[in-house]
Amino acid sequence: MLNYKTGLDYALEQDQNDKLKNYRNQFHIPKDGNGYDLIYMTGNSLGLQPKTTKAYVNQELEDWANLGVEGHFEAKNPWLGYHEYLTESMAKVVGAKPIEIVVMNTLTANLHFMMVSFYQPTKTRYKILIESDAFPSDKYAVESQLRHHGFDYKEGLVLWKPRKDEELLRYEDLEQILEQQGDEIALMMIGGVNYYTGQFFDLKRITQLGHKYGCKVGFDCAHGAGNVKLNLHDSGADFAAWCTYKYLNSGPGSLAGCFIHERHAYNKNLNRFAGWWSHNKQTRFNMRGEFDQLPGAEGWQLSNPPILSMAAIKASLDLFNEVGIEKLSKKSKQLTGYFEFLLEELNEDSIKIITPSNPDERGCQLSIQVKNADKTLHDKLIEAGVISDWREPDVIRCAPTPFYNSFEDVYRLVEKLKNILNA
Ligand SMILES: *Cc1c(COP(=O)(O)O)cnc(C)c1O
């Protein structure tokens, strides 16, 4: 598949030969005023709605209407154990064991709860290392944890930065930071796939480095889950968290996933915040006993979960389960490779792809830096029927997802970009 060709014919032929082509029909594709499909390139921000979602959510609305509180036991999918219906498919999507996975809360909340357990600073080991261009919510979360424990958030924050005139991060530089101040760093928390550059990190390598210096290591996989093969268990990371509304197509603000490595599953001494949903399922409703910690990731839950949101997650995960992350990842590499090829064929000096060119170091997103551009470029793309994402100062991020984007989408996107740049 490396012999890409220019021309619409080639794109249409690739779509014809695509084994996953019918999945596009299983999603609602937003339309322009004339009823034509928009070119939707922002599955990295909000994934599209599977057509099955409505029925999954309706089922729970119906059961609630007909059964009231009895739905906890009598619903078609009894609500009491609803989160358990998601565990196995979610575990497959992120490469984990079921005991390591729970769907709960929202992403930033989960990062905080993970830090309650895995950020245990001492007087000498208290710093937190993040990427210099971490997602703002992660940076604020980490800073507030430092403050919460009485540290100066500026002094306590260690940034892994790109070199001058570079965009991507280098492992040698991380190693150097650890050599110099590894014994002061309590926690490393890195975005598994950086939201801005699209760089997919070697989670295992980072984890091994961190552990070698005695640091705990966690990943924010918001841009990785459903996009790349994360292999969380094998990475050895202490924890990870991700939202499900990006590549996992479960709807705006939907619940998040959380991974806690199996080696912590039975450790009752690990500090954590608890609620009735972290308590032993057998005695949860006795209500008056001593707290009895559930093993595994489930033991980090606090509350009984929102079923309507989980129904939407189930609809999406059932699709993921049907196809498998292996096949999705294979198509993703072809689609993004094709996107990269077309951009390079443009031969435009004004654009530079800042995402790694190695397909194993990225997911489907390409971040395109456009010299002297401003947000009007993004506005022109919208006028031309392209939904992409603009990041100041000069980057458009486009994420052709293997589930619902076509080679034709990518072809048309690049044509439109060319026309705008040449106008
Ligand atoms: C999308 C995203 C978030 C958003 O956090 P919420 O708590 O879901 O609002 C946080 N971190 C990263 C890296 C993200 O990509």
Side-chain angles (χ1 to χ4, degrees), residues 44-45 105-111 131 133-139 189-196 219-224 241-246 253-256 397:
N44 56 350
S45 185
N105 312 318
T106 46
L107 171 54
T108 308
N110 280 345
L111 293 177
E131 321 117 272
D133 210 353
F135 195 89
S137 195
D138 301 39
K139 181 158 180 274
M189 201 174 87
I190 311 282
V193 175
N194 181 270
Y195 82 101
Y196 183 70
F219 294 99
D220 181 329
C221 293
H223 283 263
W242 56 93
C243 50
T244 63
Y245 50 78
K246 291 174 180 166
S254 192
L255 293 174
R397 301 183 304 162

